[in-house]
Amino acid sequence: MAISGLERRSEHEWVIPQTGPMRVPAVIYASESLVNAMDAKVFEQACNVASLPGIVGASYAMPDAHWGYGFPIGGVAAFDPTAGGVISAGGVGFDISCGVRTLRTGMTRAQLEAGRERLANELFRTIPAGVGSTTSYRLTGREMDDMLAGGARWAVENGFGRPEDLLRVEEHGCMEGAEPSVVSQRAKERQRDEMGTLGSGNHYLEVQRVVNCYDPEAAAAFGLAEDDIVVSIHCGSRGLGHQIGTEFLREMVIAAPGLGIELPDRELACAPIESPLGQRYLGAMRAGINCALANRQILTQMTREVFARVFPEAQLELVYDVSHNTCKAEPHYVDGRSRGLFVHRKGATRAYGPGHPELPEEYRKAGQPVIIGGSMGTASYILAGTQESEQRAFSSACHGAGRAMSRHAATRQWQGRQVVDELAARGIIVKSRSLRGVAEEAPGAYKEVAGVVEATDRAGLARKVARLEPMIGIKG
DNA sequence: ATGTTC
């Protein structure tokens, strides 16, 4: 079946050939049914990205792609700084380094059941969640700058977690090249008492059980077996990342004409990586990445403290921490030679294959853990990066189910209370301070995560390792 | 995503 403008290259790969202002083709990795269900805006946005200066290879969309600000969410694009390549605030997204980490507890389902209700209550009471949530960890100006430079490493040095955690975080917990001095005072003020908060929207803390190991060897390498209890934390850089995104987006829109950049869409505002503005954004964005890494690290420590009260035997070792909204400098092979590229992944996960030097020793054979968050009430997945992913989309994979309808549409279709009750009937405890938020996040408002993961696996972006089913959800 | 519209 022909889908307007798309050529099918293989079962799970679709191409929009280079035309007009496009500098490279657009490539969509998805099944036929996912492509059919995608908003045409995704294809339009992928083509717009393909027209940006210095783009290398192609503009990619992952199987969970949906309409976003400028770039599609589920979009991947790499740029060569020596060829006028650009960096785009909209290409990273507002929630800089939003991501997810998974902790294994060493507990089985039967052990959890004995105290599940109490654990849910304690987590809900302890983990600050929701719009404008704050904590008592209020940072001084100096501490803020140290946190922005040090990320999760700063958090560990300040008592939040264990040094060995850092081996299982991208960038070993600290994004180098962060420039706290170029982050505005306003961004810092917004973040001052938001460290260790979950936030709202699709962010969550979930207690899950491993229900299926598709690749037992890789699952064992990640410390996972069927019936194990794990905890996943999904959140980002809170007010700070949002403020950085807002400010630089505005500045890039204003600066673009003077930098000789013609924008097909003002939401694609960007600056050459080698320009002073590009460098300033890079320094601020990297500080935003560190903020998110530190935030997830602090939340990890808070979660450990809750478990210590309810299940003292639980261990809570970090499996891995991945970021979904980033632009990172990485070497990639293009046409047989290694080039230093800046890879935007917006709603997309890095998925390094086996043997990559960035990976911790014990994961080097299996490949990078790729954590795919489901919606509340549906499964999450752990995948592993593949060797061929490097040739697909610069070692990238999807990040979640992806929304199937707007938040507004979801609130017309569901009541929060009804969603909570239906999940409870299925044995899933969901706790949230916002019933409207629960309605917006109703499982039915998302694509079928299993189909997205299957397409990701079949497209060769990452391979399935394990499926996780929710047991407790703490929502913003 | 977001002190849910500086």
Short mmCIF file of all heavy atoms in Angstrom, two decimals, chain A residues 410-472:
data_model
loop_
_atom_site.label_atom_id
_atom_site.label_comp_id
_atom_site.label_asym_id
_atom_site.label_seq_id
_atom_site.Cartn_x
_atom_site.Cartn_y
_atom_site.Cartn_z
N ALA A 410 -7.92 13.52 25.66
CA ALA A 410 -7.97 12.47 26.67
C ALA A 410 -8.89 12.85 27.83
O ALA A 410 -9.63 12.01 28.35
CB ALA A 410 -6.56 12.18 27.18
N THR A 411 -8.88 14.13 28.23
CA THR A 411 -9.73 14.54 29.36
C THR A 411 -11.21 14.49 28.98
O THR A 411 -12.07 14.38 29.85
CB THR A 411 -9.39 15.97 29.85
OG1 THR A 411 -9.54 16.87 28.76
CG2 THR A 411 -7.98 16.04 30.40
N ARG A 412 -11.49 14.59 27.68
CA ARG A 412 -12.90 14.48 27.26
C ARG A 412 -13.36 13.03 27.26
O ARG A 412 -14.54 12.74 27.39
CB ARG A 412 -13.09 15.09 25.86
CG ARG A 412 -13.24 16.60 25.92
CD ARG A 412 -13.48 17.17 24.55
NE ARG A 412 -12.44 16.74 23.61
CZ ARG A 412 -12.24 17.29 22.41
NH1 ARG A 412 -13.02 18.27 22.00
NH2 ARG A 412 -11.29 16.86 21.62
N GLN A 413 -12.40 12.12 27.12
CA GLN A 413 -12.76 10.71 27.00
C GLN A 413 -12.73 9.96 28.33
O GLN A 413 -13.43 8.96 28.48
CB GLN A 413 -11.79 10.04 26.01
CG GLN A 413 -12.31 8.72 25.49
CD GLN A 413 -11.67 8.39 24.14
OE1 GLN A 413 -11.28 9.29 23.40
NE2 GLN A 413 -11.58 7.12 23.82
N TRP A 414 -11.91 10.43 29.29
CA TRP A 414 -11.77 9.69 30.55
C TRP A 414 -11.90 10.60 31.77
O TRP A 414 -11.61 11.78 31.70
CB TRP A 414 -10.40 9.00 30.63
CG TRP A 414 -10.25 7.86 29.68
CD1 TRP A 414 -10.74 6.60 29.82
CD2 TRP A 414 -9.56 7.87 28.42
NE1 TRP A 414 -10.41 5.82 28.74
CE2 TRP A 414 -9.68 6.57 27.87
CE3 TRP A 414 -8.84 8.83 27.70
CZ2 TRP A 414 -9.12 6.22 26.64
CZ3 TRP A 414 -8.29 8.49 26.50
CH2 TRP A 414 -8.43 7.19 25.97
N GLN A 415 -12.35 9.99 32.86
CA GLN A 415 -12.35 10.64 34.17
C GLN A 415 -11.20 10.05 34.97
O GLN A 415 -11.02 8.83 34.96
CB GLN A 415 -13.66 10.33 34.91
CG GLN A 415 -14.91 10.85 34.23
CD GLN A 415 -15.16 12.31 34.54
OE1 GLN A 415 -14.78 12.79 35.61
NE2 GLN A 415 -15.78 13.03 33.60
N GLY A 416 -10.48 10.90 35.70
CA GLY A 416 -9.32 10.42 36.46
C GLY A 416 -9.68 9.33 37.45
O GLY A 416 -9.00 8.30 37.56
N ARG A 417 -10.79 9.55 38.18
CA ARG A 417 -11.20 8.58 39.21
C ARG A 417 -11.48 7.22 38.60
O ARG A 417 -11.07 6.17 39.10
CB ARG A 417 -12.44 9.14 39.94
CG ARG A 417 -13.13 8.20 40.90
CD ARG A 417 -12.19 7.58 41.92
NE ARG A 417 -11.45 8.57 42.70
CZ ARG A 417 -10.38 8.28 43.45
NH1 ARG A 417 -9.94 7.04 43.54
NH2 ARG A 417 -9.76 9.23 44.11
N GLN A 418 -12.16 7.25 37.46
CA GLN A 418 -12.51 6.02 36.76
C GLN A 418 -11.25 5.28 36.30
O GLN A 418 -11.15 4.05 36.42
CB GLN A 418 -13.41 6.41 35.57
CG GLN A 418 -13.54 5.43 34.45
CD GLN A 418 -13.83 6.13 33.10
OE1 GLN A 418 -14.06 7.34 33.04
NE2 GLN A 418 -13.81 5.36 32.04
N VAL A 419 -10.25 6.03 35.82
CA VAL A 419 -8.99 5.41 35.40
C VAL A 419 -8.30 4.74 36.58
O VAL A 419 -7.85 3.60 36.49
CB VAL A 419 -8.05 6.46 34.74
CG1 VAL A 419 -6.68 5.86 34.45
CG2 VAL A 419 -8.66 6.99 33.44
N VAL A 420 -8.25 5.45 37.72
CA VAL A 420 -7.61 4.90 38.92
C VAL A 420 -8.32 3.62 39.35
O VAL A 420 -7.68 2.61 39.67
CB VAL A 420 -7.62 5.94 40.07
CG1 VAL A 420 -7.19 5.28 41.39
CG2 VAL A 420 -6.69 7.10 39.75
N ASP A 421 -9.66 3.64 39.34
CA ASP A 421 -10.44 2.47 39.76
C ASP A 421 -10.23 1.28 38.82
O ASP A 421 -10.10 0.15 39.26
CB ASP A 421 -11.94 2.81 39.83
CG ASP A 421 -12.25 3.76 40.98
OD1 ASP A 421 -11.37 3.92 41.87
OD2 ASP A 421 -13.34 4.36 41.00
N GLU A 422 -10.21 1.58 37.52
CA GLU A 422 -10.02 0.49 36.56
C GLU A 422 -8.64 -0.15 36.70
O GLU A 422 -8.49 -1.36 36.61
CB GLU A 422 -10.20 1.01 35.13
CG GLU A 422 -11.68 1.19 34.77
CD GLU A 422 -11.88 1.89 33.45
OE1 GLU A 422 -10.90 2.09 32.70
OE2 GLU A 422 -13.04 2.24 33.16
N LEU A 423 -7.64 0.69 36.97
CA LEU A 423 -6.29 0.16 37.16
C LEU A 423 -6.22 -0.65 38.46
O LEU A 423 -5.59 -1.71 38.50
CB LEU A 423 -5.26 1.30 37.17
CG LEU A 423 -5.07 1.97 35.80
CD1 LEU A 423 -4.24 3.24 35.93
CD2 LEU A 423 -4.40 1.01 34.82
N ALA A 424 -6.90 -0.16 39.50
CA ALA A 424 -6.92 -0.88 40.79
C ALA A 424 -7.53 -2.27 40.59
O ALA A 424 -7.05 -3.26 41.15
CB ALA A 424 -7.70 -0.09 41.83
N ALA A 425 -8.58 -2.33 39.75
CA ALA A 425 -9.23 -3.62 39.50
C ALA A 425 -8.28 -4.58 38.79
O ALA A 425 -8.41 -5.80 38.91
CB ALA A 425 -10.48 -3.41 38.66
N ARG A 426 -7.30 -4.01 38.08
CA ARG A 426 -6.30 -4.85 37.40
C ARG A 426 -5.07 -5.07 38.28
O ARG A 426 -4.04 -5.56 37.82
CB ARG A 426 -5.89 -4.19 36.08
CG ARG A 426 -6.98 -4.26 35.01
CD ARG A 426 -6.60 -3.45 33.77
NE ARG A 426 -5.22 -3.71 33.39
CZ ARG A 426 -4.45 -2.84 32.74
NH1 ARG A 426 -4.93 -1.65 32.39
NH2 ARG A 426 -3.21 -3.15 32.43
N GLY A 427 -5.16 -4.64 39.54
CA GLY A 427 -4.07 -4.89 40.47
C GLY A 427 -2.95 -3.86 40.40
O GLY A 427 -1.83 -4.12 40.84
N ILE A 428 -3.24 -2.68 39.86
CA ILE A 428 -2.22 -1.64 39.75
C ILE A 428 -2.63 -0.48 40.64
O ILE A 428 -3.71 0.10 40.47
CB ILE A 428 -2.07 -1.15 38.28
CG1 ILE A 428 -1.72 -2.34 37.37
CG2 ILE A 428 -1.04 -0.04 38.19
CD1 ILE A 428 -1.92 -2.05 35.89
N ILE A 429 -1.78 -0.14 41.61
CA ILE A 429 -2.07 0.99 42.50
C ILE A 429 -1.50 2.26 41.87
O ILE A 429 -0.29 2.34 41.63
CB ILE A 429 -1.43 0.79 43.89
CG1 ILE A 429 -1.91 -0.52 44.54
CG2 ILE A 429 -1.71 1.98 44.80
CD1 ILE A 429 -1.16 -0.87 45.83
N VAL A 430 -2.35 3.23 41.57
CA VAL A 430 -1.88 4.51 41.04
C VAL A 430 -2.22 5.62 42.01
O VAL A 430 -3.36 5.73 42.47
CB VAL A 430 -2.49 4.82 39.65
CG1 VAL A 430 -2.19 6.25 39.23
CG2 VAL A 430 -1.95 3.85 38.61
N LYS A 431 -1.21 6.41 42.35
CA LYS A 431 -1.42 7.53 43.27
C LYS A 431 -0.98 8.81 42.62
O LYS A 431 0.13 8.91 42.09
CB LYS A 431 -0.64 7.29 44.57
CG LYS A 431 -1.14 6.07 45.33
CD LYS A 431 -0.77 6.09 46.78
CE LYS A 431 -1.43 4.94 47.52
NZ LYS A 431 -2.84 5.23 47.85
N SER A 432 -1.88 9.80 42.63
CA SER A 432 -1.56 11.10 42.03
C SER A 432 -2.34 12.17 42.74
O SER A 432 -3.44 11.93 43.24
CB SER A 432 -1.94 11.09 40.54
OG SER A 432 -1.79 12.39 40.00
N ARG A 433 -1.76 13.37 42.80
CA ARG A 433 -2.48 14.50 43.39
C ARG A 433 -3.38 15.17 42.36
O ARG A 433 -4.14 16.07 42.69
CB ARG A 433 -1.49 15.51 43.98
CG ARG A 433 -0.90 15.00 45.28
CD ARG A 433 0.24 15.84 45.82
NE ARG A 433 0.75 15.20 47.03
CZ ARG A 433 1.65 14.22 47.05
NH1 ARG A 433 2.15 13.78 45.90
NH2 ARG A 433 2.04 13.67 48.18
N SER A 434 -3.29 14.75 41.12
CA SER A 434 -4.08 15.39 40.06
C SER A 434 -4.90 14.36 39.28
O SER A 434 -4.35 13.59 38.48
CB SER A 434 -3.14 16.13 39.11
OG SER A 434 -3.84 16.50 37.94
N LEU A 435 -6.21 14.35 39.51
CA LEU A 435 -7.06 13.42 38.76
C LEU A 435 -7.15 13.82 37.30
O LEU A 435 -7.28 12.98 36.41
CB LEU A 435 -8.46 13.35 39.39
CG LEU A 435 -8.53 12.52 40.68
CD1 LEU A 435 -9.92 12.60 41.29
CD2 LEU A 435 -8.15 11.05 40.43
N ARG A 436 -7.05 15.12 37.07
CA ARG A 436 -7.03 15.56 35.68
C ARG A 436 -5.77 15.02 34.98
O ARG A 436 -5.82 14.58 33.82
CB ARG A 436 -7.06 17.09 35.61
CG ARG A 436 -7.04 17.60 34.20
CD ARG A 436 -7.12 19.10 34.13
NE ARG A 436 -6.46 19.57 32.92
CZ ARG A 436 -6.09 20.82 32.72
NH1 ARG A 436 -6.31 21.73 33.64
NH2 ARG A 436 -5.51 21.17 31.61
N GLY A 437 -4.64 15.09 35.70
CA GLY A 437 -3.40 14.54 35.16
C GLY A 437 -3.55 13.07 34.82
O GLY A 437 -3.06 12.60 33.79
N VAL A 438 -4.24 12.33 35.69
CA VAL A 438 -4.45 10.90 35.46
C VAL A 438 -5.28 10.69 34.19
O VAL A 438 -4.97 9.82 33.36
CB VAL A 438 -5.13 10.24 36.67
CG1 VAL A 438 -5.57 8.82 36.35
CG2 VAL A 438 -4.18 10.22 37.87
N ALA A 439 -6.32 11.51 34.02
CA ALA A 439 -7.15 11.40 32.81
C ALA A 439 -6.32 11.69 31.56
O ALA A 439 -6.43 10.98 30.55
CB ALA A 439 -8.34 12.36 32.90
N GLU A 440 -5.48 12.73 31.64
CA GLU A 440 -4.63 13.08 30.49
C GLU A 440 -3.68 11.95 30.14
O GLU A 440 -3.28 11.79 28.99
CB GLU A 440 -3.78 14.32 30.82
CG GLU A 440 -4.58 15.61 30.87
CD GLU A 440 -3.72 16.82 31.23
OE1 GLU A 440 -2.53 16.63 31.55
OE2 GLU A 440 -4.24 17.93 31.20
N GLU A 441 -3.29 11.19 31.17
CA GLU A 441 -2.31 10.12 30.99
C GLU A 441 -2.96 8.74 30.88
O GLU A 441 -2.27 7.72 31.01
CB GLU A 441 -1.35 10.14 32.18
CG GLU A 441 -0.40 11.33 32.20
CD GLU A 441 0.65 11.22 31.11
OE1 GLU A 441 1.24 10.16 30.96
OE2 GLU A 441 0.85 12.20 30.39
N ALA A 442 -4.24 8.70 30.68
CA ALA A 442 -4.94 7.41 30.58
C ALA A 442 -4.24 6.51 29.56
O ALA A 442 -3.80 6.98 28.51
CB ALA A 442 -6.39 7.65 30.15
N PRO A 443 -4.11 5.22 29.88
CA PRO A 443 -3.39 4.31 28.98
C PRO A 443 -3.90 4.39 27.54
O PRO A 443 -3.11 4.29 26.59
CB PRO A 443 -3.66 2.93 29.60
CG PRO A 443 -3.88 3.20 31.04
CD PRO A 443 -4.56 4.53 31.11
N GLY A 444 -5.23 4.58 27.38
CA GLY A 444 -5.80 4.63 26.04
C GLY A 444 -5.38 5.84 25.23
O GLY A 444 -5.62 5.89 24.02
N ALA A 445 -4.76 6.84 25.89
CA ALA A 445 -4.31 8.03 25.16
C ALA A 445 -2.96 7.81 24.49
O ALA A 445 -2.45 8.68 23.79
CB ALA A 445 -4.23 9.22 26.12
N TYR A 446 -2.39 6.63 24.74
CA TYR A 446 -1.08 6.29 24.16
C TYR A 446 -1.21 5.23 23.09
O TYR A 446 -2.17 4.47 23.05
CB TYR A 446 -0.13 5.79 25.26
CG TYR A 446 0.46 6.92 26.07
CD1 TYR A 446 -0.25 7.49 27.13
CD2 TYR A 446 1.70 7.44 25.75
CE1 TYR A 446 0.28 8.55 27.85
CE2 TYR A 446 2.24 8.50 26.46
CZ TYR A 446 1.53 9.04 27.52
OH TYR A 446 2.06 10.09 28.21
N LYS A 447 -0.17 5.19 22.22
CA LYS A 447 -0.11 4.10 21.24
C LYS A 447 0.14 2.80 21.99
O LYS A 447 0.61 2.79 23.12
CB LYS A 447 1.06 4.34 20.28
CG LYS A 447 0.88 5.51 19.36
CD LYS A 447 2.10 5.66 18.46
CE LYS A 447 2.16 7.07 17.91
NZ LYS A 447 3.34 7.34 17.11
N GLU A 448 -0.12 1.73 21.31
CA GLU A 448 0.14 0.40 21.85
C GLU A 448 1.66 0.21 21.94
O GLU A 448 2.34 0.12 20.93
CB GLU A 448 -0.47 -0.62 20.88
CG GLU A 448 -0.41 -2.04 21.34
CD GLU A 448 -1.40 -2.32 22.46
OE1 GLU A 448 -2.55 -1.86 22.36
OE2 GLU A 448 -1.00 -3.00 23.42
N VAL A 449 2.17 0.21 23.18
CA VAL A 449 3.63 0.18 23.35
C VAL A 449 4.25 -1.10 22.78
O VAL A 449 5.36 -1.08 22.23
CB VAL A 449 4.03 0.40 24.83
CG1 VAL A 449 3.61 -0.77 25.71
CG2 VAL A 449 5.53 0.64 24.96
N ALA A 450 3.51 -2.21 22.85
CA ALA A 450 4.05 -3.48 22.33
C ALA A 450 4.36 -3.37 20.84
O ALA A 450 5.39 -3.88 20.38
CB ALA A 450 3.06 -4.61 22.59
N GLY A 451 3.48 -2.70 20.10
CA GLY A 451 3.69 -2.54 18.66
C GLY A 451 4.90 -1.65 18.36
O GLY A 451 5.65 -1.90 17.41
N VAL A 452 5.07 -0.61 19.17
CA VAL A 452 6.21 0.29 18.99
C VAL A 452 7.52 -0.46 19.26
O VAL A 452 8.49 -0.34 18.50
CB VAL A 452 6.07 1.51 19.95
CG1 VAL A 452 7.38 2.29 20.02
CG2 VAL A 452 4.93 2.42 19.50
N VAL A 453 7.53 -1.26 20.33
CA VAL A 453 8.73 -2.01 20.69
C VAL A 453 9.03 -3.08 19.63
O VAL A 453 10.18 -3.28 19.23
CB VAL A 453 8.57 -2.63 22.09
CG1 VAL A 453 9.65 -3.67 22.37
CG2 VAL A 453 8.62 -1.53 23.15
N GLU A 454 7.98 -3.73 19.16
CA GLU A 454 8.16 -4.76 18.13
C GLU A 454 8.78 -4.14 16.87
O GLU A 454 9.71 -4.71 16.28
CB GLU A 454 6.79 -5.39 17.79
CG GLU A 454 6.86 -6.73 17.11
CD GLU A 454 7.59 -7.78 17.95
OE1 GLU A 454 7.44 -7.80 19.18
OE2 GLU A 454 8.32 -8.58 17.33
N ALA A 455 8.27 -2.98 16.47
CA ALA A 455 8.80 -2.31 15.28
C ALA A 455 10.25 -1.88 15.50
O ALA A 455 11.08 -1.96 14.58
CB ALA A 455 7.93 -1.10 14.93
N THR A 456 10.55 -1.44 16.72
CA THR A 456 11.93 -1.01 17.04
C THR A 456 12.87 -2.20 16.93
O THR A 456 13.98 -2.09 16.38
CB THR A 456 11.96 -0.44 18.48
OG1 THR A 456 11.08 0.69 18.53
CG2 THR A 456 13.36 0.00 18.88
N ASP A 457 12.42 -3.35 17.42
CA ASP A 457 13.20 -4.58 17.36
C ASP A 457 13.37 -5.02 15.91
O ASP A 457 14.49 -5.26 15.44
CB ASP A 457 12.48 -5.65 18.19
CG ASP A 457 13.24 -6.97 18.26
OD1 ASP A 457 13.46 -7.58 17.20
OD2 ASP A 457 13.61 -7.38 19.37
N ARG A 458 12.28 -5.06 15.18
CA ARG A 458 12.33 -5.56 13.78
C ARG A 458 13.10 -4.62 12.86
O ARG A 458 13.69 -5.06 11.88
CB ARG A 458 10.92 -5.75 13.25
CG ARG A 458 10.13 -6.76 14.07
CD ARG A 458 9.70 -7.94 13.25
NE ARG A 458 8.94 -8.86 14.07
CZ ARG A 458 7.72 -9.31 13.76
NH1 ARG A 458 7.15 -8.92 12.62
NH2 ARG A 458 7.10 -10.15 14.54
N ALA A 459 13.08 -3.32 13.19
CA ALA A 459 13.83 -2.37 12.37
C ALA A 459 15.33 -2.44 12.65
O ALA A 459 16.13 -1.81 11.97
CB ALA A 459 13.32 -0.94 12.61
N GLY A 460 15.70 -3.19 13.70
CA GLY A 460 17.13 -3.34 14.03
C GLY A 460 17.68 -2.19 14.84
O GLY A 460 18.89 -2.01 14.94
N LEU A 461 16.80 -1.38 15.43
CA LEU A 461 17.26 -0.23 16.22
C LEU A 461 17.75 -0.69 17.60
O LEU A 461 18.69 -0.13 18.15
CB LEU A 461 16.13 0.79 16.37
CG LEU A 461 15.60 1.38 15.06
CD1 LEU A 461 14.31 2.15 15.29
CD2 LEU A 461 16.65 2.30 14.43
N ALA A 462 17.07 -1.67 18.17
CA ALA A 462 17.44 -2.25 19.46
C ALA A 462 16.67 -3.56 19.57
O ALA A 462 15.64 -3.72 18.92
CB ALA A 462 17.06 -1.31 20.61
N ARG A 463 17.17 -4.50 20.38
CA ARG A 463 16.46 -5.78 20.45
C ARG A 463 15.80 -5.96 21.83
O ARG A 463 16.32 -5.53 22.86
CB ARG A 463 17.38 -6.94 20.10
CG ARG A 463 18.42 -7.24 21.12
CD ARG A 463 19.29 -8.43 20.69
NE ARG A 463 20.03 -8.93 21.82
CZ ARG A 463 21.08 -8.31 22.35
NH1 ARG A 463 21.50 -7.18 21.83
NH2 ARG A 463 21.70 -8.81 23.41
N LYS A 464 14.68 -6.64 21.81
CA LYS A 464 13.90 -6.83 23.04
C LYS A 464 14.66 -7.70 24.03
O LYS A 464 15.17 -8.75 23.67
CB LYS A 464 12.56 -7.54 22.72
CG LYS A 464 11.55 -6.66 22.06
CD LYS A 464 10.16 -7.28 22.14
CE LYS A 464 10.05 -8.58 21.36
NZ LYS A 464 8.69 -9.15 21.40
N VAL A 465 14.66 -7.27 25.29
CA VAL A 465 15.30 -8.06 26.35
C VAL A 465 14.27 -8.48 27.40
O VAL A 465 14.20 -9.65 27.77
CB VAL A 465 16.46 -7.28 27.00
CG1 VAL A 465 17.00 -8.03 28.22
CG2 VAL A 465 17.58 -7.04 25.99
N ALA A 466 13.48 -7.53 27.89
CA ALA A 466 12.54 -7.89 28.95
C ALA A 466 11.33 -6.96 28.93
O ALA A 466 11.39 -5.82 28.47
CB ALA A 466 13.23 -7.81 30.32
N ARG A 467 10.22 -7.49 29.44
CA ARG A 467 8.99 -6.70 29.57
C ARG A 467 8.68 -6.52 31.05
O ARG A 467 8.82 -7.46 31.84
CB ARG A 467 7.83 -7.41 28.87
CG ARG A 467 6.55 -6.59 28.84
CD ARG A 467 5.61 -7.15 27.78
NE ARG A 467 5.21 -8.52 28.06
CZ ARG A 467 4.05 -8.85 28.64
NH1 ARG A 467 3.19 -7.92 28.97
NH2 ARG A 467 3.75 -10.11 28.85
N LEU A 468 8.27 -5.32 31.41
CA LEU A 468 7.96 -4.99 32.80
C LEU A 468 6.50 -4.58 32.90
O LEU A 468 6.01 -3.79 32.08
CB LEU A 468 8.82 -3.81 33.27
CG LEU A 468 10.30 -3.81 32.88
CD1 LEU A 468 10.98 -2.49 33.28
CD2 LEU A 468 11.03 -4.99 33.54
N GLU A 469 5.79 -5.12 33.90
CA GLU A 469 4.39 -4.73 34.12
C GLU A 469 4.29 -3.89 35.38
O GLU A 469 4.92 -4.20 36.39
CB GLU A 469 3.50 -5.98 34.27
CG GLU A 469 3.35 -6.82 33.02
CD GLU A 469 2.30 -6.28 32.05
OE1 GLU A 469 1.65 -5.27 32.38
OE2 GLU A 469 2.16 -6.88 30.97
N PRO A 470 3.47 -2.82 35.35
CA PRO A 470 3.38 -1.93 36.52
C PRO A 470 2.62 -2.55 37.68
O PRO A 470 1.66 -3.30 37.48
CB PRO A 470 2.63 -0.71 35.98
CG PRO A 470 1.84 -1.23 34.82
CD PRO A 470 2.64 -2.36 34.23
N MET A 471 3.06 -2.22 38.90
CA MET A 471 2.37 -2.67 40.12
C MET A 471 1.99 -1.48 41.00
O MET A 471 0.98 -1.50 41.68
CB MET A 471 3.24 -3.66 40.89
CG MET A 471 3.56 -4.90 40.05
SD MET A 471 4.21 -6.24 41.03
CE MET A 471 2.73 -6.78 41.88
N ILE A 472 2.85 -0.46 41.00
CA ILE A 472 2.55 0.78 41.72
C ILE A 472 2.98 1.93 40.81
O ILE A 472 4.07 1.89 40.24
CB ILE A 472 3.35 0.90 43.04
CG1 ILE A 472 3.01 -0.23 44.02
CG2 ILE A 472 3.11 2.27 43.70
CD1 ILE A 472 3.93 -0.27 45.24
#
